Amino acid sequence: MKIAEKKALKRESIIQTALQLFSTNGFHKTTIPDIATKLQMSVGNLYNYFSSKDILAQEIIKYTSEALGEKIRVVNMMDVSAEEKIHKIVTVYFTMAQDKPEMIEYFLRVYLSNREVFKDGCDGMVCVSGFITEIMIFFDDSVSSGELRNQDFFSAFGLFMGYLGGMVFLKGEEVLPKGIEFYIDDISRNIYNALKA
Amino acid sequence: MFITPKPTLLWLQAITCNGNTHSFLNHPDLFSILSHFEIVHHPSLESSYTMEDVINGEVPCDVLILEGSFIDEGFLKAGVEVSSLIHTYATKAKHIISAGTCATFGGIFKQKDPENISGFCFDLEEKTSRYDTYASKLISLPGCPMHPKWMSYVLLMLAANKKIAIDNLHRPVELYGYTVHTGCTRNEYFEWKIDTKNYGLKEGCLFYEQGCQGPYTRGSCNKILWNDISSKTRAGTPCFGCTEPTFPKASLFHTQTNMGIPAKMPLGVPRRAYLTLTGVVKSFKIKRFTTRLLEYDE
Ligand code: SF4
Ligand code: SF4
């Protein structure tokens, strides 16, 4: 394996470990030595990859946003109706919340709750554009095909993503009486009904 | 001493508003350009033959300039189908220049009878039945009207016997290789996604709200300025895309968007690339772009 490839793998494993620790123990309670210990590497070496905890936090949000964006991109490429795409996007989101809860938890509990960490470098949509771009493409396609009603981007985005985020938050708080996959059909229908032309 | 005769130039009009004739008359060096040719007939300049001679098919013609939309039957001059006149001279000519969007793609007058009216060699972007016959000598100068200097570029290149590089719709690459967006004084505002608050202001870009088609319209309006002074977009009016086969479109002062996303992307730019870039750019607020360039007294 080439050195560059090795480094890329190491970088990714740091991101995944830090993601896990930040989302379970909280951003402020997790230290760089905690992450290094879990990875069995030295603190000094970890700093070779990420020069500060804030920068690591910013790279993680980019990483999760890209990962989610890639999955939605696959849905966007499918030749199916907007209604089906909504169902697929909701499924992607909830499946991720189920299988890799740290990904979504990170967004809700670290990214949205510690704005000061992200203010320099992750201004506005800079670090979440991988995900937002795919949602934009989904909206654009569905409005031009006449399936969804044309409106301001944020009124539609808030309805869609606020809803999904809220459900995952409730899941994290353990207040949902049923597993999150139980809600996929109803929520998809609600979103479609709210946005359809 | 032996003097090579000047090439003969015939300007023929079909269904037209005279816009291209007028545009060309505004050229500051009109007579010096025309001095390279013998004007055998022109709708508004003194010429060596009358319209009657033209109709009789007696006039020599090296360079044929066509203005106006084309129809096979039903548009007559002095009892003669203009289409047959055009065929007569197009056959004789060494070069055919379609002046303006009507003669090139159909343009405004096509709206009257979209089935039968078209450009001479193109119907919108499709080739007409005449294309194969005349393609080898065809140069397209779309625009509503075409810029006078686009015409002079072509005429002077022909007079100098130089080859003109053209694209698939026969437009000179030198003139239409660019988009109208190239050279617009509002480029910085476009880059940082700052829309203008009104027409005619110096600040802001007209792409996001006011319907500017500059980023996907071919033409050099912001490189070769109108009246050597300005352009629509510099002055604060959206580009209407008048050089495009799709011209005219409806609601020219309004950008069509799908949930806030422009329905038409800049030429050749993939939507994913555009949205990624603009999403990032929109996240920054740059003070210089949010203040007036000049403070005017109220
Ligand atoms: S006004 Fe039009 S041509 Fe000028 S920068 Fe904006 S989009 Fe481009
Ligand atoms: S700015 Fe646009 S509409 Fe105006 S003349 Fe140029 S191409 Fe035509």
Side-chain angles (χ1 to χ4, degrees):
Chain A
M1 198 187 292
K2 289 202 193 97
I3 295 187
E5 281 172 28
K6 261 190 167 169
K7 280 197 133 185
L9 276 182
K10 189 83 201 163
R11 191 173 181 279
E12 193 164 339
S13 72
I14 298 173
I15 288 183
Q16 278 168 357
T17 307
L19 171 58
Q20 205 97 45
L21 292 175
F22 284 150
S23 2
T24 32
N25 304 339
F27 179 74
H28 290 295
K29 290 210 183 104
T30 308
T31 63
I32 289 282
D34 292 342
I35 302 166
T37 312
K38 180 120 200 232
L39 283 156
Q40 292 179 313
M41 68 192 289
S42 72
V43 171
N45 193 18
L46 201 153
Y47 277 119
N48 283 333
Y49 290 87
F50 300 97
S51 58
S52 73
K53 196 170 124 182
D54 286 8
I55 287 186
L56 176 55
Q58 298 186 356
E59 289 304 313
I60 295 175
I61 192 65
K62 281 189 210 158
Y63 173 81
T64 56
S65 158
E66 291 292 337
L68 193 53
E70 255 167 50
K71 290 205 168 8
I72 299 176
R73 182 177 179 153
V74 173
V75 176
N76 276 336
M77 305 285 225
M78 291 179 180
D79 190 13
V80 297
S81 69
E83 186 173 3
E84 282 170 86
K85 282 185 184 169
I86 290 177
H87 193 276
K88 287 184 191 303
I89 293 172
V90 174
T91 308
V92 159
Y93 198 89
F94 284 178
T95 309
M96 194 174 254
Q98 191 66 40
D99 300 348
K100 293 187 173 173
E102 67 280 3
M103 291 270 207
I104 313 269
E105 289 284 313
Y106 185 84
F107 179 77
L108 298 172
R109 292 175 200 271
V110 179
Y111 180 68
L112 294 183
S113 320
N114 299 280
R115 301 303 299 141
E116 72 289 349
V117 175
F118 297 93
K119 145 170 120 309
D120 265 346
C122 281
D123 319 52
M125 294 189 185
V126 172
C127 296
V128 288
S129 82
F131 162 69
I132 307 264
T133 300
E134 294 305 325
I135 294 293
M136 285 179 159
I137 286 178
F138 163 70
F139 282 154
D140 186 11
D141 285 344
S142 313
V143 171
S144 39
S145 66
E147 292 166 277
L148 297 191
R149 185 168 56 83
N150 201 1
Q151 57 180 297
D152 181 84
F153 171 73
F154 288 100
S155 56
F157 181 76
L159 182 128
F160 201 148
M161 287 303 145
Y163 195 177
L164 299 191
M167 290 302 288
V168 173
F169 188 83
L170 293 178
K171 170 185 176 292
E173 296 292 305
E174 297 179 357
V175 298
L176 290 184
K178 304 210 164 79
I180 195 146
E181 66 287 347
F182 169 84
Y183 299 93
I184 292 177
D185 285 350
D186 275 339
I187 287 181
S188 305
R189 191 170 315 131
N190 292 346
I191 294 175
Y192 176 69
N193 283 336
L195 295 180
K196 71 177 184 221
Chain B
M1 201 173 70
F2 180 75
I3 300 173
T4 339
K6 293 177 181 178
T8 50
L9 188 152
L10 169 63
W11 188 303
L12 260 190
Q13 292 183 314
I15 313 172
T16 181
C17 68
N18 292 310
N20 294 284
T21 295
H22 280 273
S23 177
F24 191 49
L25 291 181
N26 275 316
H27 199 301
D29 304 313
L30 180 69
F31 291 102
S32 124
I33 292 147
L34 291 178
S35 69
H36 295 272
F37 298 87
E38 183 197 341
I39 317 278
V40 289
H41 188 78
H42 184 280
S44 54
L45 292 173
E46 197 178 321
S47 41
S48 27
Y49 292 82
T50 64
M51 192 63 202
E52 205 173 353
D53 302 328
V54 175
I55 286 173
N56 291 334
E58 291 162 2
V59 172
C61 174
D62 294 321
V63 178
L64 172 65
I65 297 179
L66 282 181
E67 179 180 16
S69 314
F70 185 90
I71 188 167
D72 263 320
E73 274 173 43
F75 189 69
L76 293 89
K77 268 187 191 171
V80 179
E81 285 286 354
V82 173
S83 62
S84 78
L85 278 183
I86 293 177
H87 278 296
T88 305
Y89 291 103
T91 310
K92 273 191 195 181
K94 296 194 187 86
H95 305 281
I96 302 170
I97 306 172
S98 67
T101 300
C102 288
T104 308
F105 302 125
I108 294 265
F109 286 99
K110 183 178 168 62
Q111 312 307 305
K112 168 82 167 53
D113 180 0
E115 280 295 302
N116 297 309
I117 299 180
S118 67
F120 182 50
C121 284
F122 294 99
D123 185 4
L124 308 177
E125 242 174 293
E126 301 294 314
K127 293 167 181 167
T128 63
S129 56
R130 299 166 290 276
Y131 178 85
D132 286 340
T133 317
Y134 302 114
S136 64
K137 39 188 169 179
L138 176 70
I139 292 166
S140 306
L141 286 183
C144 195
M146 49 134 216
H147 193 296
K149 292 203 171 165
W150 302 348
M151 177 59 89
S152 64
Y153 163 78
V154 170
L155 288 179
L156 293 177
M157 289 291 275
L158 295 181
N161 251 324
K162 295 221 168 114
K163 196 168 159 36
I164 300 173
I166 53 172
D167 65 14
N168 62 332
L169 296 174
H170 291 242
R171 300 169 294 197
V173 176
E174 196 70 48
L175 305 172
Y176 298 86
Y178 308 84
T179 62
V180 169
H181 176 69
T182 309
C184 177
T185 48
R186 298 168 191 275
N187 277 185
E188 275 191 321
Y189 295 103
F190 177 88
E191 285 159 19
W192 292 95
K193 225 165 172 274
I194 310 281
D195 50 351
T196 186
K197 302 291 169 256
N198 215 333
Y199 305 106
L201 293 180
K202 291 191 196 313
E203 306 84 3
C205 164
L206 299 123
F207 183 64
Y208 305 104
E209 308 261 340
Q210 281 82 5
C212 186
Q213 300 182 31
Y216 49 84
T217 297
R218 289 184 177 276
S220 37
C221 297
N222 276 309
K223 181 169 177 265
I224 303 171
L225 297 178
W226 286 83
N227 297 323
D228 293 337
I229 291 174
S230 195
S231 70
K232 272 197 195 65
T233 66
R234 287 187 180 205
T237 301
C239 166
F240 298 155
C242 77
T243 54
E244 290 292 306
T246 45
F247 181 79
K249 291 186 200 147
S251 57
L252 298 174
F253 289 93
H254 175 71
T255 305
Q256 210 211 318
T257 56
N258 298 326
M259 296 219 192
I261 299 147
K264 227 173 149 190
M265 292 289 124
L267 193 64
V269 176
R271 192 172 42 152
R272 211 165 248 113
Y274 173 84
L275 291 176
T276 305
L277 208 65
T278 51
V280 168
V281 155
K282 195 81 179 133
S283 305
F284 299 94
K285 217 175 165 62
I286 312 281
K287 189 158 176 293
R288 178 160 71 87
F289 300 129
T290 57
T291 48
R292 301 293 310 263
L293 289 171
L294 284 177
E295 284 304 337
Y296 301 90
D297 294 336
E298 286 303 316

